[in-house]
């Protein structure tokens, strides 16, 4: 059961994962399940999926959290793109697909902890502990008008997040659990001190993120016309700089590379630096999936 705390149109959602972090094959399993016309509420869902009842609920939650099914349980375009029979990476063998999923997990905002940590907390604290996050989350809830803060629920969310992104001492001992941490290979969240559970998300060069993924995240948004500034991409909510924790100079180099790529010539993409205002400009915006095809078609 998710705990949804709302004020007006704003909401924070915690839990829903039944304390299970997303396993490696759950998204493909969930995709195939829904594609067959099955529903997670079906009486035989446990048998078909081959997992326990709580895991069925968890798979349903993660499918929504990663934006692979919509609120009505329908398969989304990005889910078909990755996981269909002729999908680009149904078994997530390419690390780039994990970056793509991480972006959708944060930007969807359904699992609020990922939105809060990558878009908000890390701008205040590059290094943080679990207690730091709990205090931060409580403050955010108070900003919404003093909504009830359930420390146990939010604490469990934090534990699930660390299992998803980091290899804890327990995971190192349990090889199967280490394998199942879906986003650990991204090395986005570092555990600085095991004794105090100190974590960090420093800005890094992120040269292992293909420029097509950066361009996809820009085109995934419709809140700009034919130009978007480097500062926006670097620091605004759900943009590449915030979601991927990229250094500004590295991000600028990626945008310059995009502008120089002859394969995008038909779109008239340029990188402008006029009076200190750095912008990526488009004569014509490409389709975001055409850009992904440029990467996966290699």
């Amino acid at each position: 059961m998710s705990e949804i705390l709302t004020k007006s149109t704003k909401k924070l959602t915690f839990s829903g994962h039944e304390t299970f972090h997303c396993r490696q094959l759950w998204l493909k399993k969930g995709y195939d399940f829904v594609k067959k016309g099955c529903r997670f509420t079906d009486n035989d869902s446990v048998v078909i999926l081959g997992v326990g009842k709580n895991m069925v609920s968890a798979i349903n939650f993660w499918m929504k959290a990663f934006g692979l099914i919509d609120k009505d349980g329908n398969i989304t375009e990005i889910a078909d793109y990755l996981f269909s029979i002729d999908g680009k990476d149904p078994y997530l063998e390419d690390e780039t697909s994990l970056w793509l999923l991480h972006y959708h997990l944060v930007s969807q905002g359904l699992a609020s902890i990922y939105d809060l940590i990558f878009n908000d907390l890390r701008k205040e604290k590059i290094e943080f502990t679990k207690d730091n996050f709990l205090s931060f989350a409580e403050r955010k809830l108070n900003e919404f008008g003093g909504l009830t803060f359930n420390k146990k629920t939010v604490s469990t969310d934090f534990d699930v997040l660390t299992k998803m992104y980091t290899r804890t001492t327990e995971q190192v001992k349990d090889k199967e659990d280490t394998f199942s941490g879906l986003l650990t290979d991204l090395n986005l969240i570092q555990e600085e001190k095991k004794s105090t559970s100190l974590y960090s998300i420093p800005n890094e060069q992120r040269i292992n993120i293909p420029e097509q993924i950066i361009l996809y995240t820009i085109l995934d948004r419709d809140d700009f016309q034919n130009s978007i500034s480097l500062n926006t991409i670097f620091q605004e909510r759900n943009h590449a700089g915030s979601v991927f924790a990229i250094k500004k100079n590295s991000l600028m180099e990626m945008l310059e590379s995009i502008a120089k790529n002859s394969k995008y010539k038909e779109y008239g993409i340029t990188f402008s630096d006029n009076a200190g205002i750095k912008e990526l400009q488009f004569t014509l915006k490409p389709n975001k999936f055409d850009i992904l095809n440029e990467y996966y078609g290699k």
Side-chain angles (χ1 to χ4, degrees):
M1 179 70 68
S2 296
E3 181 164 342
I4 302 178
L5 309 168
T6 64
K7 183 183 180 183
S8 301
T9 59
K10 189 80 174 178
K11 72 176 183 179
L12 293 180
T13 307
F14 297 99
S15 191
H17 42 62
E18 305 292 340
T19 75
F20 294 108
H21 60 286
C22 189
R23 271 43 172 185
Q24 285 281 356
L25 297 178
W26 276 9
L27 300 183
K28 172 60 174 170
K29 185 187 289 282
Y31 173 85
D32 291 342
F33 176 79
V34 176
K35 204 67 176 176
K36 291 175 183 175
C38 302
R39 313 292 284 189
F40 289 101
T41 53
D42 293 346
N43 292 331
D44 58 353
S45 59
V46 170
V47 176
I48 296 173
L49 285 168
V51 298
K53 183 178 179 180
N54 288 349
M55 284 190 176
V56 171
S57 296
I59 293 173
N60 183 22
F61 171 82
W62 289 119
M63 290 290 289
K64 291 178 180 177
F66 279 104
L68 302 179
I69 56 176
D70 62 22
K71 60 183 177 64
D72 298 316
N74 301 311
I75 291 289
T76 62
E77 194 171 6
I78 188 63
D80 276 331
Y81 186 84
L82 287 174
F83 295 104
S84 66
I85 293 176
D86 57 352
K88 301 301 183 183
D89 191 14
Y91 297 102
L92 302 179
E93 297 168 301
D94 189 331
E95 184 183 291
T96 294
S97 302
L98 299 182
W99 286 111
L100 192 57
L101 287 170
H102 164 73
Y103 163 73
H104 280 282
L105 176 62
V106 174
S107 62
Q108 283 290 314
L110 177 67
S112 295
I113 187 171
Y114 303 90
D115 170 24
L116 288 175
I117 285 182
F118 284 92
N119 282 310
D120 298 309
L121 177 63
R122 63 177 299 271
K123 292 178 181 177
E124 293 185 11
K125 290 180 176 290
I126 291 296
E127 295 186 340
F128 55 90
T129 64
K130 182 177 182 177
D131 286 341
N132 291 149
F133 174 72
L134 293 176
S135 297
F136 176 80
E138 185 173 18
R139 171 158 57 88
K140 284 295 181 182
L141 292 177
N142 288 332
E143 289 175 4
F144 289 178
L147 294 168
T148 302
F149 173 69
N150 187 320
K151 183 176 181 179
K152 182 178 179 180
T153 298
V154 180
S155 177
T156 299
D157 254 28
F158 189 88
D159 294 338
V160 169
L161 173 139
T162 56
K163 288 180 180 179
M164 185 101 83
Y165 285 90
T166 68
R167 288 183 171 87
T168 63
T169 302
E170 290 75 17
Q171 286 177 307
V172 170
K173 292 178 180 178
D174 186 341
K175 293 183 179 179
E176 183 178 349
D177 199 45
T178 300
F179 177 75
S180 68
L182 184 62
L183 302 176
T184 55
D185 287 344
L186 300 184
N187 293 315
L188 258 174
I189 302 180
Q190 310 293 327
E191 188 173 18
E192 300 293 342
K193 294 181 181 178
K194 293 183 182 296
S195 59
T196 58
S197 295
L198 179 66
Y199 300 91
S200 69
I201 311 176
N203 281 340
E204 295 184 359
Q205 298 292 345
R206 310 291 180 198
I207 59 174
N208 54 334
I209 302 180
E211 64 182 41
Q212 290 89 350
I213 296 300
I214 301 299
L215 186 51
Y216 171 89
T217 65
I218 294 170
L219 296 169
D220 188 48
R221 306 175 61 86
D222 56 6
D223 54 358
F224 72 98
Q225 296 300 315
N226 291 324
S227 66
I228 184 168
S229 72
L230 170 64
N231 283 339
T232 294
I233 302 169
F234 174 64
Q235 65 188 17
E236 292 298 319
R237 179 172 230 91
N238 294 327
H239 278 284
S242 297
V243 174
F244 299 137
I246 303 175
K247 287 185 175 181
K248 193 172 186 178
N249 68 323
S250 182
L251 186 58
M252 183 174 70
E253 290 172 2
M254 292 177 179
L255 298 182
E256 289 174 335
S257 178
I258 288 170
K260 292 175 182 176
N261 193 328
S262 61
K263 293 181 179 179
Y264 307 142
K265 186 176 181 179
E266 62 183 293
Y267 307 113
I269 301 177
T270 57
F271 186 73
S272 170
D273 186 354
N274 186 12
I277 300 176
K278 299 177 174 61
E279 291 183 327
L280 193 68
Q281 300 175 340
F282 304 82
T283 300
L284 176 68
K285 285 187 187 178
N287 179 283
K288 61 186 179 183
F289 287 102
D290 288 342
I291 298 303
L292 288 184
N293 286 338
E294 183 61 41
Y295 171 79
Y296 284 103
K298 291 181 179 179

